[in-house]
């Protein structure tokens, strides 16, 4: 083996994983144990041992994660980034899209297929839902988002529809036949329009790999496959990997079963727990040295996750040393909880910890509502994560629809949105216009011959001019096309939205993003398959004096870390959610969610819960309920924490008494019924 000095930077178990030879390898990587470094160094090691970069497939759950790993790997390869750029790196969906673009025809697709995001898929499904007459007065048929959830869970879990409805949507069981009809029509319509949603990308690749010739050809392209966050894969993704490794068993899966928290997306921790059975001869390496948290935090979180029904056994430890014990704080009510969080935030800020190195985490986005009001009133800046994403902004979706229309004129959902931007055109007229274009073979410029209402004719003429100019030259660089589309769209933006200037700046960001792409198709694919979370993701570096407190759902916080973490609303019914305690599998996932939240903390961890919840706005009514502390914070866990009260908790609890052994209250109550 070639001597590599940088290998010595790894601890013994990381080194064992990085220098593993051939055969399946499962790396059980505890929170903060350096899994990103391990994967990056594994790529660099394979290249140093003569593996061609283009014969390595690195699958992650975000493009940013893949780019970070390959950037680290480049630091330890001879030709650096030029070498690692040839590695097949990206998400499952981007990998599927890349393969299907290469082999569209044998996979049964037209070359110019469109990919739509989740919100557009919901709109597409809703059109079919309405056409089938499933939304009639007096019938409470599931909303489009619920229908999409059911559809996605069914295709990704490989369960039958009745099983999905029974386990996760029992109130929808009466609609089983209608849902089956809806999903069948939805699939038929997508295929006619040459449109794929996120789920289709995986399904097409999965079924494409059923052909032994395809399975062998694609599997032979890669000497090694590396997979990150394996605990978050679903059945279809695991099936794709099995088929790609049917003859060559060089697969490295890295994950933490204790952080499997995406069951609502049909992810299953069983893929990780059963990995050794799926790939006989698996070597298992456990990374248990934590580089993030202080030891007292790990002592608490180790006891939390020890309650899991089924898991890989590991107790994390650190060489970072000792520190303050995590605090379990009982608050009188939600207002007391908010006040205590603000007090602690400012206290740590005065100690020199910037606001952006502190985070407030919660199970559901609504749990931070009252805290946001107080932070605003105290002039404490904050940013909240887990809300509206960049591509969900209406004006951005308008632009994306225009670009999709140029790329795939058969895309009726794009036509429907674009046409309704024009004054004088509503849903009915838009449908008539689409039918007109369809009768002309979806030739885009045929929209110019549609008999539009007088108020719409000027804009219809402008749209026709745009499509006439852009359609023949779709091979132009993406930025060039987008500049033309922006010029067309800006008058519509000003007409349809108040305060258009900030929205126009978002369009400038899109143009900047597109400068690195040669084609509109590649730009759209990347933007839709791995969208920015917010406009901040496409902006430049922040100013040095910018600072803000982070508010985030636990799901959005996964993979991140802060010096100080405040986990709020840690009361049963909130955490775990009262909607997710119907089975031991659901309760286990809520336990893992609690663990993920607590392991984001580096130096200080505060877990707060309000003893009393108001049914409505505090001060308006005295209607309230008493809560119990999160069931996962057992006495065994609490002994590793400092317990204290905040706000009016002592008054609510009242004074403490020593029990009088002669006063048998329970017996006296039983005597009532003698």
């Amino acid at each position: 083996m070639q001597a590599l000095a940088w290998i010595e930077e790894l601890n013994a178990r990381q080194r064992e994983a990085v220098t593993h030879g051939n055969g399946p390898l499962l790396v059980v990587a505890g929170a903060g144990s350096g899994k990103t470094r391990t994967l990056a160094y594994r790529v660099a090691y394979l290249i140093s041992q003569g593996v061609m970069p283009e014969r390595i497939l690195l699958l992650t759950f975000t493009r940013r994660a893949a780019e970070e790993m390959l950037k680290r790997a480049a630091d330890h390869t001879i030709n650096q980034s030029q070498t690692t750029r040839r590695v097949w790196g990206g998400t499952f969906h981007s990998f599927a899209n890349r393969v299907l673009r290469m082999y569209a025809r044998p996979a049964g697709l037209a070359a110019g297929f469109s990919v739509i995001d989740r919100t557009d898929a919901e709109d597409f499904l809703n059109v079919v839902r309405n056409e089938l007459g499933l939304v009639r007065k007096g019938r409470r048929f599931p909303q489009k988002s619920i229908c999409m959830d059911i559809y996605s869970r069914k295709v990704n879990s490989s369960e039958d529809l009745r099983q999905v409805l029974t386990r996760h949507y029992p109130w929808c069981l009466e609609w089983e036949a209608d849902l089956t009809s809806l999903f069948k029509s939805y699939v038929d319509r997508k295929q006619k329009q040459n449109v794929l949603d996120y789920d289709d990308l995986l399904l097409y690749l999965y079924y494409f790999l059923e052909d032994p010739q395809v399975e062998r050809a694609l599997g032979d392209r890669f000497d090694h496959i590396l997979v990150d966050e394996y605990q978050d894969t679903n059945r279809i993704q695991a099936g794709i990997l099995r088929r790609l490794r049917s003859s060559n068993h060089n697969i490295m899966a890295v994950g933490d079963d204790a952080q499997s928290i995406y069951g609502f997306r049909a992810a299953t921790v069983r893929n990780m727990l059963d990995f050794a059975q799926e790939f006989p001869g698996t070597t298992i390496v456990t990374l248990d040295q934590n580089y993030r948290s202080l030891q007292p935090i790990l002592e608490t979180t180790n006891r939390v996750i020890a309650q899991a029904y089924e898991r890989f056994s590991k107790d994390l430890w650190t060489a970072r040393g000792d520190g303050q014990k995590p605090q379990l704080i009982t608050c009188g009510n939600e207002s007391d909880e908010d006040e205590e969080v603000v007090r602690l935030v400012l206290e740590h800020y005065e100690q020199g910890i910037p606001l952006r190195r502190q985070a407030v985490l919660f199970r559901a986005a609504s749990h931070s509502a009252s805290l946001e009001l107080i932070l605003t009133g105290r002039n404490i800046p904050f940013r909240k994560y887990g809300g509206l994403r960049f591509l969900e902004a209406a004006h951005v979706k308008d632009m994306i629809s225009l670009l999709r229309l140029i790329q795939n004129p058969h895309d009726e959902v794009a036509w429907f949105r674009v046409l309704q931007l024009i004054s004088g055109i509503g849903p009915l007229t838009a449908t008539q216009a689409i039918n007109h274009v369809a009768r002309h073979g979806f030739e885009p410029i045929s929209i110019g011959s549609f008999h539009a209402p007088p108020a719409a004719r000027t804009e219809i003429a402008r749209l026709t001019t745009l499509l006439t100019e852009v359609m023949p030259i779709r091979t132009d660089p993406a930025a060039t096309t987008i500049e033309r589309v922006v010029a067309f769209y800006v008058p519509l933006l000003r007409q349809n939205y108040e305060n258009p200037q900030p929205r126009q700046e978002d369009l400038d960001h899109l143009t900047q993003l597109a400068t690195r792409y040669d084609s509109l198709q590649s730009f759209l694919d990347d933007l839709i398959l791995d969208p920015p979370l917010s406009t901040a993701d496409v902006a430049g570096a922040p100013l040095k004096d910018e600072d803000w407190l982070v508010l985030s759902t636990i799901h959005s916080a996964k993979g991140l870390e802060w010096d100080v973490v405040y986990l709020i609303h840690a009361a049963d019914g909130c955490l775990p959610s009262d909607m997710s305690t119907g089975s031991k599998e659901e309760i286990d996932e809520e336990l893992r969610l609690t663990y993920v939240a607590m392991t984001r903390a580096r130096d200080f961890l505060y877990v707060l819960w309000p003893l009393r919840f108001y049914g409505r706005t505090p001060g308006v009514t005295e209607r309230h309920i008493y809560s119990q502390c999160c069931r996962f914070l057992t006495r065994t866990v609490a002994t590793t924490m400092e317990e204290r009260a905040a706000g009016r908790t002592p008054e609510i609890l009242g004074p403490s008494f020593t029990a009088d052994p002669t006063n048998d209250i329970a017996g006296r109550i039983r005597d009532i019924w003698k």
Side-chain angles (χ1 to χ4, degrees):
M1 183 179 70
Q2 179 182 340
L4 302 168
W6 46 268
I7 290 289
E8 300 306 314
E9 299 174 13
L10 304 170
N11 66 40
R13 291 189 176 179
Q14 290 174 334
R15 193 179 308 122
E16 181 184 355
V18 166
T19 60
H20 176 75
N22 292 326
L25 171 67
L26 177 64
V27 179
V28 182
S33 62
K35 72 175 180 64
T36 299
R37 168 186 275 197
T38 303
L39 272 166
Y41 278 40
R42 175 67 173 169
V43 172
Y45 176 80
L46 290 173
I47 293 172
S48 74
Q49 300 305 296
V51 178
M52 300 299 290
E54 58 270 23
R55 297 189 63 79
I56 299 173
L57 173 61
L58 172 64
L59 293 171
T60 62
F61 273 77
T62 65
R63 182 178 58 191
R64 182 177 294 179
E67 290 173 349
E68 171 65 19
M69 290 176 196
L70 293 177
K71 181 180 177 182
R72 291 196 192 188
D75 293 337
H76 303 292
T77 54
I78 296 174
N79 294 321
Q80 297 192 326
S81 61
Q82 291 300 320
T83 299
T84 56
R85 194 171 294 151
R86 287 153 47 201
V87 173
W88 281 52
T91 65
F92 273 91
H93 292 91
S94 66
F95 170 67
N97 180 69
R98 184 173 177 181
V99 171
L100 294 173
R101 293 286 181 199
M102 293 170 61
Y103 303 104
R105 193 168 299 280
L109 293 164
F113 65 82
S114 294
V115 179
I116 57 176
D117 65 14
R118 167 65 188 237
T119 54
D120 283 328
E122 287 182 8
D123 290 342
F124 201 124
L125 186 65
N126 198 41
V127 170
V128 180
R129 177 172 167 264
N130 281 278
E131 287 180 355
L132 293 177
L134 296 175
V135 186
R136 293 198 292 270
K137 190 174 182 180
R139 305 185 77 202
R140 194 173 68 90
F141 194 76
Q143 295 181 335
K144 63 180 181 179
S145 59
I146 298 297
C147 291
M148 197 72 240
D149 286 340
I150 294 170
Y151 171 83
S152 189
R153 187 181 284 269
K154 186 259 182 292
V155 299
N156 283 294
S157 66
S158 301
E159 298 175 345
D160 63 52
L161 181 58
R162 173 164 286 272
Q163 188 176 0
V164 168
L165 294 176
T166 301
R167 289 187 60 189
H168 306 289
Y169 308 93
W171 65 93
C172 299
L173 268 169
E174 64 175 301
W175 308 109
E176 182 182 2
D178 289 326
L179 286 168
T180 300
S181 176
L182 170 63
F183 298 150
K184 181 181 182 301
S185 298
Y186 171 63
V187 170
D188 289 343
R189 181 72 67 88
K190 282 187 299 179
Q191 292 178 355
K192 287 177 182 176
Q193 295 185 22
N194 203 26
V195 167
L196 274 65
D197 61 24
Y198 288 157
D199 298 323
D200 288 327
L201 289 169
L202 299 181
L203 288 171
Y204 267 93
L205 179 57
Y206 178 78
Y207 290 121
F208 189 40
L209 285 166
E210 275 188 342
D211 184 326
Q213 183 181 353
V214 174
E215 179 186 78
R216 185 167 54 254
L218 287 179
D220 287 348
R221 288 186 74 102
F222 305 108
D223 294 330
H224 290 268
I225 296 179
L226 290 68
V227 190
D228 189 21
E229 304 285 9
Y230 196 71
Q231 78 281 352
D232 291 330
T233 54
N234 59 42
R235 294 294 189 190
I236 296 297
Q237 290 165 328
I240 289 170
L241 291 171
R242 282 195 302 273
R243 289 174 178 177
L244 287 172
R245 295 292 81 180
S246 60
S247 55
N248 176 341
H249 302 302
N250 291 338
I251 179 171
M252 173 187 184
V254 180
D256 183 4
D257 55 300
Q259 297 188 64
S260 178
I261 60 173
Y262 292 110
F264 64 94
R265 296 181 187 168
T268 172
V269 72
R270 291 250 52 100
N271 287 342
M272 186 165 177
L273 295 174
D274 297 340
F275 184 87
Q277 286 72 48
E278 295 289 348
F279 297 97
T282 292
T283 299
I284 299 178
V285 176
T286 301
L287 306 184
D288 56 5
Q289 182 176 354
N290 180 284
Y291 293 90
R292 176 186 300 154
S293 306
L294 293 173
Q295 190 61 39
I297 294 174
L298 296 181
E299 289 175 4
T300 298
T301 54
N302 282 338
R303 294 196 183 190
V304 168
I305 199 60
Q307 302 169 69
Y309 178 76
E310 189 175 8
R311 70 185 185 106
F312 286 104
S313 180
K314 57 183 179 298
D315 279 332
L316 300 183
W317 60 278
T318 184
R320 284 198 63 215
D322 214 342
Q324 175 182 292
K325 280 186 174 183
Q327 294 190 6
L328 178 58
I329 306 172
T330 303
C331 304
N333 55 38
E334 293 165 283
S335 296
D336 294 333
E337 182 181 64
D338 296 336
E339 291 288 347
E340 182 66 7
V341 168
V342 170
R343 186 187 72 78
L344 290 167
V345 165
L346 294 177
E347 182 179 291
H348 283 298
Y349 179 74
E350 290 300 322
Q351 293 168 355
I353 301 177
L355 294 177
R356 63 182 175 273
R357 295 301 311 154
Q358 304 185 52
V360 182
L361 305 184
F362 31 85
R363 174 65 175 85
S366 60
H367 292 164
S368 67
S370 60
L371 177 61
E372 291 174 44
L373 293 175
I374 289 185
L375 292 172
T376 301
R378 303 285 179 85
N379 201 26
I380 299 174
F382 64 90
R383 288 190 183 178
K384 185 174 180 179
Y385 297 87
L388 187 67
R389 293 172 180 263
F390 181 64
L391 289 194
E392 293 171 2
H395 57 292
V396 177
K397 291 198 74 64
D398 294 343
M399 269 295 297
I400 298 302
S401 294
L402 277 162
L403 297 174
R404 279 175 32 208
L405 190 58
I406 292 168
Q407 189 61 36
N408 177 18
H410 289 78
D411 190 337
E412 291 185 15
V413 173
W415 274 111
F416 197 69
R417 186 179 188 98
V418 168
L419 288 168
Q420 290 186 85
L421 292 171
I422 298 172
S423 292
I425 296 184
L428 179 60
T429 306
T431 301
Q432 293 170 348
I434 294 169
N435 292 337
H436 172 83
V437 174
R439 287 194 295 271
H440 289 79
F442 283 98
E443 185 63 35
I445 60 175
S446 65
I447 189 64
S449 60
F450 173 66
H451 186 67
R457 288 173 188 170
T458 299
E459 292 301 335
I460 286 288
R462 283 207 319 122
L463 178 61
T464 305
T465 300
L466 172 72
L467 297 177
T468 303
E469 291 177 348
V470 174
M471 292 300 292
I473 51 174
R474 282 185 292 175
T475 54
D476 271 4
T480 302
T481 303
I482 290 175
E483 286 173 358
R484 295 178 183 224
V485 175
V486 168
F488 164 80
Y489 175 64
V490 165
L492 295 175
L493 172 71
R494 292 172 179 164
Q495 177 181 310
N496 284 282
Y497 300 102
E498 295 180 359
N499 194 20
Q501 187 54 43
R503 298 174 186 266
Q504 192 166 337
E505 291 172 3
D506 288 345
L507 306 184
D508 295 337
H509 288 317
L510 277 180
T511 306
Q512 292 170 14
L513 274 178
T515 55
R516 67 182 95 154
Y517 293 89
D518 294 330
S519 70
L520 180 60
Q521 178 179 287
S522 60
F523 171 69
L524 282 175
D525 284 347
D526 267 8
L527 191 65
I528 291 171
L529 293 175
D530 193 14
L533 295 179
S534 66
T535 52
D537 278 7
V538 294
L543 299 175
K544 289 184 178 180
D545 61 350
E546 283 188 347
D547 198 12
W548 59 85
L549 180 67
V550 175
L551 307 186
S552 176
T553 61
I554 302 172
H555 284 100
S556 295
K558 188 171 178 291
L560 303 176
E561 62 180 53
W562 293 273
D563 294 345
V564 188
V565 166
Y566 311 91
L567 175 58
I568 64 172
H569 272 51
D572 246 59
C574 298
L575 185 68
S577 167
D578 54 8
M579 299 295 291
S580 300
T581 54
S583 66
K584 67 178 179 61
E585 290 83 9
E586 288 180 321
I587 293 173
D588 249 20
E589 180 155 327
E590 292 292 304
L591 171 66
R592 295 192 294 266
L593 198 61
T594 306
Y595 175 78
V596 165
M598 297 172 73
T599 53
R600 301 308 95 198
R602 286 177 47 80
D603 302 325
F604 300 95
L605 172 62
Y606 300 92
V607 181
L608 303 95
W609 67 286
L611 186 64
R612 182 168 60 183
F613 285 97
Y614 282 92
R616 295 178 182 174
T617 306
V620 176
T621 175
E622 284 300 311
R623 181 183 178 189
H624 62 269
I625 58 172
Y626 286 101
S627 61
Q628 295 183 357
C629 186
C630 170
R631 70 185 68 181
F632 307 131
L633 301 176
T634 62
R635 292 314 309 163
T636 300
V637 173
T639 57
T640 66
M641 308 176 76
E642 176 189 334
E643 295 186 75
R644 63 181 180 86
R648 295 182 294 279
T649 306
E651 295 177 18
I652 295 173
L653 292 175
S656 60
F657 298 97
T658 302
D660 180 356
T662 64
N663 189 10
D664 183 9
I665 297 175
R668 294 176 65 184
I669 292 174
R670 289 194 302 271
D671 289 344
I672 294 174
W673 305 103
K674 283 186 177 180

